[in-house]
Amino acid sequence: MLTMTLENVLTEIENQVLTITINRPEKLNALNAKTIEELHEALIDAENDKEIRAIIITGSGAKSFVAGADIAEFANYGVEQGKLLSATGHFKLFNFIENYSKPVIAAVNGFALGGGLELAMASHIRVASDNAKMGLPETSLGVIPGYGGTQRLAQLVGKGKAFEMITTADMINAQDAYKWGLVNYVVTQEELLNKCKEIAAKIASRSPISVKTAIKVINAGYNNKYNGYDVEIEEFGKMFGTHDFKEGVKAFLEKRKPVFNGN
Ligand code: COA
């Protein structure tokens, strides 16, 4: 995959890690339909590129990660359009990221509101800069979170805090987000991308097929169509048929670093 420039999204590959920057700083990186489509395209390209082992998503500028879905775009929608807006977002971006085969790390560099926090929560790992502000303000606009926020916030911070954040529409700061388990780390804005790259580099040294399978099995536990333990047994067994398993164990016994190929 070559570095490509889309209109609202910038991409850069370094050391097997793709950094995607949402680039509408004048609108605080609000997610309109075009931006969601471009993020989807960038992620599809990266999925097919074996050289890319992890993704970092961040926002352009020092102020905002993503300040939500683009309010101007949906201002005149009716019921069916509202439903389609939510369903398309789930399909193209939010569920798509949660079930992505490579880890997605959200580098939350400022406001993560509404769809912005939902994007961070759909990602597998979240790191925030100390100026970040997070919230689901939809009830202040007469709607509710529609990109998975009602479900994922409760999974991450528990039902009680989720009820409070969604019904009050209040923002919380990075330290509270850390205390509540909403983000894994809080660092300065200068350190933010480096911290994410450090995590991504570690992931890139592990077996790609193990990482992909681990994402699938962890997610199975949050999907009521599956029994997570049953999926784990099945997938654990399958790992024994992979090249990476044979290589990983052989390398351990030979006291050397494994050379994984994802098969
Ligand atoms: N959708 C569309 N445009 C947005 C936006 C969004 N979610 N969030 C910010 N913007 C735009 C503003 O309209 C403004 O555009 P303009 O300069 O053309 O008027 C620009 O981004 C800068 O935002 P502004 O409100 O002037 O910045 P601020 O520092 O005063 O306030 C926020 C920052 C984040 C508190 C405020 O922008 C805000 O509340 N945004 C909406 C958050 C929200 O409700 N998100 C959930 C949507 S479902």
Side-chain angles (χ1 to χ4, degrees):
M1 178 174 158
L2 292 171
T3 297
M4 54 183 177
T5 308
L6 299 161
E7 199 177 305
N8 297 333
V9 163
L10 305 173
T11 59
E12 191 188 12
I13 302 169
E14 188 193 4
N15 298 330
Q16 298 186 292
V17 178
L18 171 69
T19 301
I20 300 179
T21 305
I22 300 167
N23 191 31
R24 297 182 77 207
E26 72 291 349
K27 294 289 175 194
L28 304 184
N29 305 318
L31 291 177
N32 58 5
K34 185 169 175 53
T35 307
I36 290 180
E37 184 59 47
E38 289 188 359
L39 286 166
H40 182 71
E41 278 175 34
L43 288 165
I44 285 189
D45 261 25
E47 184 130 57
N48 297 327
D49 187 335
K50 278 195 148 200
E51 286 306 304
I52 295 174
R53 299 293 320 282
I55 316 284
I56 296 170
I57 299 184
T58 195
S60 165
K63 187 171 170 184
S64 180
F65 173 66
V66 170
D70 192 316
I71 298 170
E73 199 171 66
F74 67 65
N76 297 313
Y77 280 9
V79 172
E80 286 309 315
Q81 286 166 301
K83 198 169 159 184
L84 188 62
L85 178 73
S86 172
T88 307
H90 280 278
F91 173 71
K92 291 220 156 150
L93 192 59
F94 298 84
N95 288 350
F96 192 76
I97 287 180
E98 185 168 73
N99 296 304
Y100 199 65
S101 64
K102 306 175 190 197
V104 178
I105 304 172
V108 181
N109 59 312
F111 287 116
L113 302 175
L117 180 55
E118 289 171 303
L119 178 62
M121 293 193 296
S123 303
H124 304 109
I125 297 169
R126 285 154 292 285
V127 182
S129 56
D130 49 18
N131 65 318
K133 289 266 173 61
M134 282 159 260
L136 293 178
E138 286 86 349
T139 59
S140 70
L141 293 166
V143 284
I144 60 166
Y147 286 150
T150 58
Q151 307 304 301
R152 292 192 184 100
L153 184 62
Q155 287 167 8
L156 285 164
V157 304
K159 220 169 153 185
K161 299 267 195 231
F163 275 127
E164 182 181 342
M165 281 182 72
I166 293 172
T167 57
T168 64
D170 278 348
M171 293 182 210
I172 60 170
N173 64 28
Q175 278 308 330
D176 282 342
Y178 175 72
K179 275 191 252 158
W180 293 11
L182 187 52
V183 299
N184 297 28
Y185 301 95
V186 178
V187 296
T188 61
Q189 196 151 43
E190 293 68 44
E191 289 167 31
L192 180 64
L193 281 180
N194 279 342
K195 180 68 191 171
C196 294
K197 286 177 183 173
E198 186 187 303
I199 298 168
K202 203 169 277 180
I203 292 166
S205 73
R206 309 306 184 206
S207 154
I209 190 153
S210 299
V211 169
K212 174 182 174 176
T213 306
I215 293 173
K216 178 177 168 184
V217 178
I218 292 168
N219 280 334
Y222 292 89
N223 183 333
N224 58 19
K225 280 195 217 131
Y226 302 109
N227 177 315
Y229 295 98
D230 290 343
V231 178
E232 184 186 90
I233 292 167
E234 199 59 38
E235 296 296 331
F236 180 79
K238 282 190 206 161
M239 300 310 299
F240 286 73
T242 65
H243 161 275
D244 281 3
F245 164 71
K246 291 180 182 71
E247 167 62 9
V249 171
K250 194 161 177 273
F252 176 81
L253 296 173
E254 290 171 0
K255 301 189 189 304
R256 62 170 173 83
K257 282 200 166 162
V259 183
F260 293 123
N261 69 9
N263 295 311

